[in-house]
Structure formats: C-alpha cells, structure tokens
Amino acid sequence: MAGSPDLIELRGLRLMGVVGVLPEERDRAQPLEVDLDVEVDLTAAGLSDSLADTVDYGALCQVVQDTVEDGAPLLLERLAGVLAE
C-alpha cells in the first residue's frame, strides 16, 4: 500500500521565456521565476536511502526549463497549466 504523498517545494527557479500578449512581450524572452510544488510518495526512498527510489530534482528542473524556453504562451495562466501537466 502506498503512503500518503509528500510535498517537494522547488522555489525561485529563474528562467527566460517568451510569455505575454503585447508585441514587445513576444519579441524577446523575459525573466520568469517559477515556484513548483510536487506531490510524490517518498516512502520507498526514505526506507531504502537509494537514489533510484527518489525524484531526480535536476531532471525535474530541466523539464520546467525546457517547457518555459520552448513554449511561448500568451498567458501566464497557460504556462502554469502546462507546467502542472
């Protein structure tokens, strides 16, 4: 039986991305700061003390970075929704 979800909080990821409706917002990337909360069951990692049983924070941050850099949504709400997926 799986344990209850644990919360990993990643704060202050500073990235560059295109987001916005105005022409000047579409012309160039702007600084964005992302806070991310991830719910995951860390029971196995806590018991095993093995990297194979935990979250790869570097890979998680890379997915966020790639999503921000590769997308160009009009709204921050859209970017947040894509990151949540």
Side-chain angles (χ1 to χ4, degrees), residues 2-31:
S4 62
D6 298 295
L7 182 66
I8 296 171
E9 298 177 0
L10 298 172
R11 299 287 178 249
L13 295 171
R14 295 182 182 173
L15 308 164
M16 297 295 289
V18 174
V19 63
V21 177
L22 301 175
E24 56 270 19
E25 294 173 317
R26 309 300 303 162
D27 287 341
R28 66 182 185 289
Q30 56 187 304

PDB file of all heavy atoms in Angstrom, residues 2-31:
ATOM      1  N   ALA A   2       0.630   2.148  -0.875  1.00  0.00           N
ATOM      2  CA  ALA A   2       1.425   3.367  -0.984  1.00  0.00           C
ATOM      3  C   ALA A   2       1.134   4.293   0.186  1.00  0.00           C
ATOM      4  O   ALA A   2       0.024   4.344   0.708  1.00  0.00           O
ATOM      5  CB  ALA A   2       1.122   4.076  -2.295  1.00  0.00           C
ATOM      6  N   GLY A   3       2.160   5.050   0.593  1.00  0.00           N
ATOM      7  CA  GLY A   3       1.989   6.039   1.650  1.00  0.00           C
ATOM      8  C   GLY A   3       1.321   7.288   1.116  1.00  0.00           C
ATOM      9  O   GLY A   3       1.022   7.410  -0.070  1.00  0.00           O
ATOM     10  N   SER A   4       1.067   8.211   2.018  1.00  0.00           N
ATOM     11  CA  SER A   4       0.466   9.476   1.592  1.00  0.00           C
ATOM     12  C   SER A   4       1.504  10.310   0.851  1.00  0.00           C
ATOM     13  O   SER A   4       2.705  10.153   1.064  1.00  0.00           O
ATOM     14  CB  SER A   4      -0.059  10.237   2.809  1.00  0.00           C
ATOM     15  OG  SER A   4       1.005  10.544   3.686  1.00  0.00           O
ATOM     16  N   PRO A   5       1.054  11.198  -0.023  1.00  0.00           N
ATOM     17  CA  PRO A   5       2.011  11.978  -0.801  1.00  0.00           C
ATOM     18  C   PRO A   5       2.808  12.948   0.075  1.00  0.00           C
ATOM     19  O   PRO A   5       2.294  13.504   1.036  1.00  0.00           O
ATOM     20  CB  PRO A   5       1.148  12.735  -1.803  1.00  0.00           C
ATOM     21  CG  PRO A   5      -0.258  12.553  -1.404  1.00  0.00           C
ATOM     22  CD  PRO A   5      -0.323  11.478  -0.380  1.00  0.00           C
ATOM     23  N   ASP A   6       4.057  13.072  -0.262  1.00  0.00           N
ATOM     24  CA  ASP A   6       4.929  14.066   0.355  1.00  0.00           C
ATOM     25  C   ASP A   6       4.978  15.263  -0.576  1.00  0.00           C
ATOM     26  O   ASP A   6       4.637  15.164  -1.754  1.00  0.00           O
ATOM     27  CB  ASP A   6       6.335  13.487   0.546  1.00  0.00           C
ATOM     28  CG  ASP A   6       6.323  12.282   1.474  1.00  0.00           C
ATOM     29  OD1 ASP A   6       6.002  12.462   2.656  1.00  0.00           O
ATOM     30  OD2 ASP A   6       6.613  11.165   1.006  1.00  0.00           O
ATOM     31  N   LEU A   7       5.419  16.383  -0.061  1.00  0.00           N
ATOM     32  CA  LEU A   7       5.472  17.615  -0.856  1.00  0.00           C
ATOM     33  C   LEU A   7       6.914  18.060  -1.024  1.00  0.00           C
ATOM     34  O   LEU A   7       7.628  18.253  -0.039  1.00  0.00           O
ATOM     35  CB  LEU A   7       4.656  18.719  -0.190  1.00  0.00           C
ATOM     36  CG  LEU A   7       4.576  20.040  -0.937  1.00  0.00           C
ATOM     37  CD1 LEU A   7       3.814  19.862  -2.253  1.00  0.00           C
ATOM     38  CD2 LEU A   7       3.900  21.097  -0.077  1.00  0.00           C
ATOM     39  N   ILE A   8       7.328  18.190  -2.264  1.00  0.00           N
ATOM     40  CA  ILE A   8       8.640  18.763  -2.593  1.00  0.00           C
ATOM     41  C   ILE A   8       8.379  20.168  -3.096  1.00  0.00           C
ATOM     42  O   ILE A   8       7.569  20.375  -4.007  1.00  0.00           O
ATOM     43  CB  ILE A   8       9.357  17.940  -3.684  1.00  0.00           C
ATOM     44  CG1 ILE A   8       9.654  16.529  -3.174  1.00  0.00           C
ATOM     45  CG2 ILE A   8      10.633  18.637  -4.133  1.00  0.00           C
ATOM     46  CD1 ILE A   8      10.166  15.599  -4.249  1.00  0.00           C
ATOM     47  N   GLU A   9       9.043  21.129  -2.504  1.00  0.00           N
ATOM     48  CA  GLU A   9       8.885  22.526  -2.907  1.00  0.00           C
ATOM     49  C   GLU A   9      10.174  23.003  -3.566  1.00  0.00           C
ATOM     50  O   GLU A   9      11.219  23.020  -2.927  1.00  0.00           O
ATOM     51  CB  GLU A   9       8.566  23.402  -1.700  1.00  0.00           C
ATOM     52  CG  GLU A   9       7.280  23.041  -1.009  1.00  0.00           C
ATOM     53  CD  GLU A   9       7.011  23.880   0.223  1.00  0.00           C
ATOM     54  OE1 GLU A   9       7.828  24.763   0.559  1.00  0.00           O
ATOM     55  OE2 GLU A   9       5.977  23.651   0.871  1.00  0.00           O
ATOM     56  N   LEU A  10      10.082  23.353  -4.824  1.00  0.00           N
ATOM     57  CA  LEU A  10      11.208  23.953  -5.545  1.00  0.00           C
ATOM     58  C   LEU A  10      10.873  25.427  -5.708  1.00  0.00           C
ATOM     59  O   LEU A  10       9.850  25.771  -6.302  1.00  0.00           O
ATOM     60  CB  LEU A  10      11.416  23.279  -6.899  1.00  0.00           C
ATOM     61  CG  LEU A  10      11.764  21.797  -6.842  1.00  0.00           C
ATOM     62  CD1 LEU A  10      11.765  21.197  -8.239  1.00  0.00           C
ATOM     63  CD2 LEU A  10      13.101  21.580  -6.178  1.00  0.00           C
ATOM     64  N   ARG A  11      11.703  26.283  -5.193  1.00  0.00           N
ATOM     65  CA  ARG A  11      11.413  27.712  -5.165  1.00  0.00           C
ATOM     66  C   ARG A  11      12.464  28.514  -5.936  1.00  0.00           C
ATOM     67  O   ARG A  11      13.648  28.217  -5.896  1.00  0.00           O
ATOM     68  CB  ARG A  11      11.382  28.227  -3.717  1.00  0.00           C
ATOM     69  CG  ARG A  11      10.310  27.576  -2.863  1.00  0.00           C
ATOM     70  CD  ARG A  11       8.944  28.104  -3.255  1.00  0.00           C
ATOM     71  NE  ARG A  11       7.888  27.476  -2.502  1.00  0.00           N
ATOM     72  CZ  ARG A  11       7.011  26.635  -3.025  1.00  0.00           C
ATOM     73  NH1 ARG A  11       7.060  26.304  -4.287  1.00  0.00           N
ATOM     74  NH2 ARG A  11       6.064  26.115  -2.284  1.00  0.00           N
ATOM     75  N   GLY A  12      11.961  29.526  -6.627  1.00  0.00           N
ATOM     76  CA  GLY A  12      12.842  30.511  -7.244  1.00  0.00           C
ATOM     77  C   GLY A  12      13.627  30.029  -8.444  1.00  0.00           C
ATOM     78  O   GLY A  12      14.752  30.485  -8.648  1.00  0.00           O
ATOM     79  N   LEU A  13      13.043  29.122  -9.253  1.00  0.00           N
ATOM     80  CA  LEU A  13      13.720  28.739 -10.497  1.00  0.00           C
ATOM     81  C   LEU A  13      13.674  29.940 -11.431  1.00  0.00           C
ATOM     82  O   LEU A  13      12.597  30.378 -11.836  1.00  0.00           O
ATOM     83  CB  LEU A  13      13.019  27.546 -11.156  1.00  0.00           C
ATOM     84  CG  LEU A  13      13.052  26.233 -10.397  1.00  0.00           C
ATOM     85  CD1 LEU A  13      12.137  25.215 -11.066  1.00  0.00           C
ATOM     86  CD2 LEU A  13      14.450  25.701 -10.322  1.00  0.00           C
ATOM     87  N   ARG A  14      14.804  30.482 -11.765  1.00  0.00           N
ATOM     88  CA  ARG A  14      14.870  31.662 -12.627  1.00  0.00           C
ATOM     89  C   ARG A  14      15.195  31.245 -14.047  1.00  0.00           C
ATOM     90  O   ARG A  14      16.242  30.652 -14.305  1.00  0.00           O
ATOM     91  CB  ARG A  14      15.905  32.642 -12.084  1.00  0.00           C
ATOM     92  CG  ARG A  14      15.465  33.180 -10.743  1.00  0.00           C
ATOM     93  CD  ARG A  14      16.402  34.179 -10.188  1.00  0.00           C
ATOM     94  NE  ARG A  14      15.897  34.597  -8.869  1.00  0.00           N
ATOM     95  CZ  ARG A  14      16.537  35.364  -8.064  1.00  0.00           C
ATOM     96  NH1 ARG A  14      17.720  35.837  -8.403  1.00  0.00           N
ATOM     97  NH2 ARG A  14      16.011  35.692  -6.897  1.00  0.00           N
ATOM     98  N   LEU A  15      14.250  31.573 -14.935  1.00  0.00           N
ATOM     99  CA  LEU A  15      14.338  31.130 -16.319  1.00  0.00           C
ATOM    100  C   LEU A  15      14.012  32.286 -17.247  1.00  0.00           C
ATOM    101  O   LEU A  15      13.450  33.292 -16.826  1.00  0.00           O
ATOM    102  CB  LEU A  15      13.334  29.996 -16.558  1.00  0.00           C
ATOM    103  CG  LEU A  15      13.407  28.832 -15.575  1.00  0.00           C
ATOM    104  CD1 LEU A  15      12.150  27.988 -15.659  1.00  0.00           C
ATOM    105  CD2 LEU A  15      14.636  27.997 -15.843  1.00  0.00           C
ATOM    106  N   MET A  16      14.348  32.120 -18.511  1.00  0.00           N
ATOM    107  CA  MET A  16      13.996  33.097 -19.532  1.00  0.00           C
ATOM    108  C   MET A  16      12.979  32.464 -20.465  1.00  0.00           C
ATOM    109  O   MET A  16      13.170  31.339 -20.919  1.00  0.00           O
ATOM    110  CB  MET A  16      15.237  33.521 -20.320  1.00  0.00           C
ATOM    111  CG  MET A  16      16.309  34.219 -19.496  1.00  0.00           C
ATOM    112  SD  MET A  16      15.783  35.804 -18.839  1.00  0.00           S
ATOM    113  CE  MET A  16      15.745  36.788 -20.336  1.00  0.00           C
ATOM    114  N   GLY A  17      11.895  33.207 -20.734  1.00  0.00           N
ATOM    115  CA  GLY A  17      10.883  32.674 -21.624  1.00  0.00           C
ATOM    116  C   GLY A  17      10.037  33.771 -22.240  1.00  0.00           C
ATOM    117  O   GLY A  17       9.967  34.885 -21.727  1.00  0.00           O
ATOM    118  N   VAL A  18       9.418  33.438 -23.346  1.00  0.00           N
ATOM    119  CA  VAL A  18       8.508  34.358 -24.023  1.00  0.00           C
ATOM    120  C   VAL A  18       7.106  34.075 -23.504  1.00  0.00           C
ATOM    121  O   VAL A  18       6.618  32.955 -23.590  1.00  0.00           O
ATOM    122  CB  VAL A  18       8.562  34.171 -25.557  1.00  0.00           C
ATOM    123  CG1 VAL A  18       7.505  35.017 -26.241  1.00  0.00           C
ATOM    124  CG2 VAL A  18       9.954  34.520 -26.074  1.00  0.00           C
ATOM    125  N   VAL A  19       6.481  35.097 -22.952  1.00  0.00           N
ATOM    126  CA  VAL A  19       5.103  34.998 -22.494  1.00  0.00           C
ATOM    127  C   VAL A  19       4.513  36.403 -22.498  1.00  0.00           C
ATOM    128  O   VAL A  19       5.185  37.366 -22.159  1.00  0.00           O
ATOM    129  CB  VAL A  19       4.991  34.340 -21.096  1.00  0.00           C
ATOM    130  CG1 VAL A  19       5.674  35.163 -20.034  1.00  0.00           C
ATOM    131  CG2 VAL A  19       3.557  34.071 -20.725  1.00  0.00           C
ATOM    132  N   GLY A  20       3.288  36.502 -22.942  1.00  0.00           N
ATOM    133  CA  GLY A  20       2.625  37.801 -22.963  1.00  0.00           C
ATOM    134  C   GLY A  20       1.885  38.030 -24.265  1.00  0.00           C
ATOM    135  O   GLY A  20       2.090  37.328 -25.251  1.00  0.00           O
ATOM    136  N   VAL A  21       1.034  39.029 -24.233  1.00  0.00           N
ATOM    137  CA  VAL A  21       0.170  39.340 -25.366  1.00  0.00           C
ATOM    138  C   VAL A  21       0.719  40.496 -26.198  1.00  0.00           C
ATOM    139  O   VAL A  21       0.592  40.514 -27.420  1.00  0.00           O
ATOM    140  CB  VAL A  21      -1.251  39.680 -24.856  1.00  0.00           C
ATOM    141  CG1 VAL A  21      -2.165  40.084 -25.990  1.00  0.00           C
ATOM    142  CG2 VAL A  21      -1.836  38.494 -24.105  1.00  0.00           C
ATOM    143  N   LEU A  22       1.346  41.450 -25.549  1.00  0.00           N
ATOM    144  CA  LEU A  22       1.827  42.649 -26.238  1.00  0.00           C
ATOM    145  C   LEU A  22       2.984  42.331 -27.178  1.00  0.00           C
ATOM    146  O   LEU A  22       3.783  41.428 -26.909  1.00  0.00           O
ATOM    147  CB  LEU A  22       2.262  43.699 -25.216  1.00  0.00           C
ATOM    148  CG  LEU A  22       1.175  44.159 -24.233  1.00  0.00           C
ATOM    149  CD1 LEU A  22       1.777  45.103 -23.201  1.00  0.00           C
ATOM    150  CD2 LEU A  22       0.018  44.805 -24.967  1.00  0.00           C
ATOM    151  N   PRO A  23       3.087  43.074 -28.286  1.00  0.00           N
ATOM    152  CA  PRO A  23       4.172  42.815 -29.246  1.00  0.00           C
ATOM    153  C   PRO A  23       5.553  42.829 -28.601  1.00  0.00           C
ATOM    154  O   PRO A  23       6.395  41.979 -28.928  1.00  0.00           O
ATOM    155  CB  PRO A  23       4.027  43.945 -30.271  1.00  0.00           C
ATOM    156  CG  PRO A  23       2.587  44.340 -30.199  1.00  0.00           C
ATOM    157  CD  PRO A  23       2.181  44.136 -28.763  1.00  0.00           C
ATOM    158  N   GLU A  24       5.805  43.762 -27.698  1.00  0.00           N
ATOM    159  CA  GLU A  24       7.127  43.827 -27.065  1.00  0.00           C
ATOM    160  C   GLU A  24       7.390  42.611 -26.162  1.00  0.00           C
ATOM    161  O   GLU A  24       8.540  42.259 -25.917  1.00  0.00           O
ATOM    162  CB  GLU A  24       7.318  45.129 -26.284  1.00  0.00           C
ATOM    163  CG  GLU A  24       6.283  45.410 -25.226  1.00  0.00           C
ATOM    164  CD  GLU A  24       5.076  46.202 -25.706  1.00  0.00           C
ATOM    165  OE1 GLU A  24       4.800  46.266 -26.923  1.00  0.00           O
ATOM    166  OE2 GLU A  24       4.399  46.762 -24.840  1.00  0.00           O
ATOM    167  N   GLU A  25       6.325  41.960 -25.683  1.00  0.00           N
ATOM    168  CA  GLU A  25       6.488  40.745 -24.886  1.00  0.00           C
ATOM    169  C   GLU A  25       6.765  39.534 -25.768  1.00  0.00           C
ATOM    170  O   GLU A  25       7.352  38.549 -25.317  1.00  0.00           O
ATOM    171  CB  GLU A  25       5.225  40.481 -24.058  1.00  0.00           C
ATOM    172  CG  GLU A  25       4.967  41.536 -23.001  1.00  0.00           C
ATOM    173  CD  GLU A  25       3.626  41.354 -22.310  1.00  0.00           C
ATOM    174  OE1 GLU A  25       2.622  41.070 -23.004  1.00  0.00           O
ATOM    175  OE2 GLU A  25       3.588  41.498 -21.073  1.00  0.00           O
ATOM    176  N   ARG A  26       6.344  39.591 -27.004  1.00  0.00           N
ATOM    177  CA  ARG A  26       6.514  38.486 -27.938  1.00  0.00           C
ATOM    178  C   ARG A  26       7.870  38.520 -28.631  1.00  0.00           C
ATOM    179  O   ARG A  26       8.321  37.522 -29.179  1.00  0.00           O
ATOM    180  CB  ARG A  26       5.418  38.505 -29.020  1.00  0.00           C
ATOM    181  CG  ARG A  26       3.996  38.592 -28.545  1.00  0.00           C
ATOM    182  CD  ARG A  26       3.517  37.475 -27.666  1.00  0.00           C
ATOM    183  NE  ARG A  26       3.648  36.170 -28.273  1.00  0.00           N
ATOM    184  CZ  ARG A  26       3.627  35.031 -27.585  1.00  0.00           C
ATOM    185  NH1 ARG A  26       3.473  35.036 -26.289  1.00  0.00           N
ATOM    186  NH2 ARG A  26       3.761  33.880 -28.192  1.00  0.00           N
ATOM    187  N   ASP A  27       8.525  39.697 -28.623  1.00  0.00           N
ATOM    188  CA  ASP A  27       9.777  39.888 -29.366  1.00  0.00           C
ATOM    189  C   ASP A  27      10.992  39.245 -28.717  1.00  0.00           C
ATOM    190  O   ASP A  27      11.948  38.895 -29.402  1.00  0.00           O
ATOM    191  CB  ASP A  27      10.061  41.384 -29.557  1.00  0.00           C
ATOM    192  CG  ASP A  27       9.142  42.015 -30.586  1.00  0.00           C
ATOM    193  OD1 ASP A  27       8.544  41.273 -31.397  1.00  0.00           O
ATOM    194  OD2 ASP A  27       9.016  43.251 -30.574  1.00  0.00           O
ATOM    195  N   ARG A  28      10.973  39.111 -27.398  1.00  0.00           N
ATOM    196  CA  ARG A  28      12.174  38.589 -26.728  1.00  0.00           C
ATOM    197  C   ARG A  28      11.789  37.908 -25.422  1.00  0.00           C
ATOM    198  O   ARG A  28      10.755  38.205 -24.826  1.00  0.00           O
ATOM    199  CB  ARG A  28      13.178  39.697 -26.470  1.00  0.00           C
ATOM    200  CG  ARG A  28      12.716  40.747 -25.487  1.00  0.00           C
ATOM    201  CD  ARG A  28      13.750  41.862 -25.308  1.00  0.00           C
ATOM    202  NE  ARG A  28      13.372  42.804 -24.290  1.00  0.00           N
ATOM    203  CZ  ARG A  28      12.397  43.693 -24.368  1.00  0.00           C
ATOM    204  NH1 ARG A  28      11.658  43.753 -25.442  1.00  0.00           N
ATOM    205  NH2 ARG A  28      12.142  44.515 -23.375  1.00  0.00           N
ATOM    206  N   ALA A  29      12.653  37.018 -25.012  1.00  0.00           N
ATOM    207  CA  ALA A  29      12.443  36.321 -23.743  1.00  0.00           C
ATOM    208  C   ALA A  29      12.600  37.310 -22.595  1.00  0.00           C
ATOM    209  O   ALA A  29      13.365  38.279 -22.687  1.00  0.00           O
ATOM    210  CB  ALA A  29      13.446  35.185 -23.607  1.00  0.00           C
ATOM    211  N   GLN A  30      11.866  37.066 -21.552  1.00  0.00           N
ATOM    212  CA  GLN A  30      11.940  37.896 -20.355  1.00  0.00           C
ATOM    213  C   GLN A  30      12.177  36.997 -19.143  1.00  0.00           C
ATOM    214  O   GLN A  30      11.889  35.801 -19.188  1.00  0.00           O
ATOM    215  CB  GLN A  30      10.668  38.712 -20.202  1.00  0.00           C
ATOM    216  CG  GLN A  30       9.385  37.899 -20.160  1.00  0.00           C
ATOM    217  CD  GLN A  30       8.158  38.757 -20.178  1.00  0.00           C
ATOM    218  OE1 GLN A  30       7.992  39.622 -19.344  1.00  0.00           O
ATOM    219  NE2 GLN A  30       7.285  38.527 -21.157  1.00  0.00           N
ATOM    220  N   PRO A  31      12.700  37.563 -18.075  1.00  0.00           N
ATOM    221  CA  PRO A  31      12.949  36.733 -16.890  1.00  0.00           C
ATOM    222  C   PRO A  31      11.639  36.309 -16.236  1.00  0.00           C
ATOM    223  O   PRO A  31      10.711  37.094 -16.097  1.00  0.00           O
ATOM    224  CB  PRO A  31      13.765  37.649 -15.980  1.00  0.00           C
ATOM    225  CG  PRO A  31      13.510  39.031 -16.457  1.00  0.00           C
ATOM    226  CD  PRO A  31      13.137  38.941 -17.904  1.00  0.00           C
TER     227      PRO A  31
END
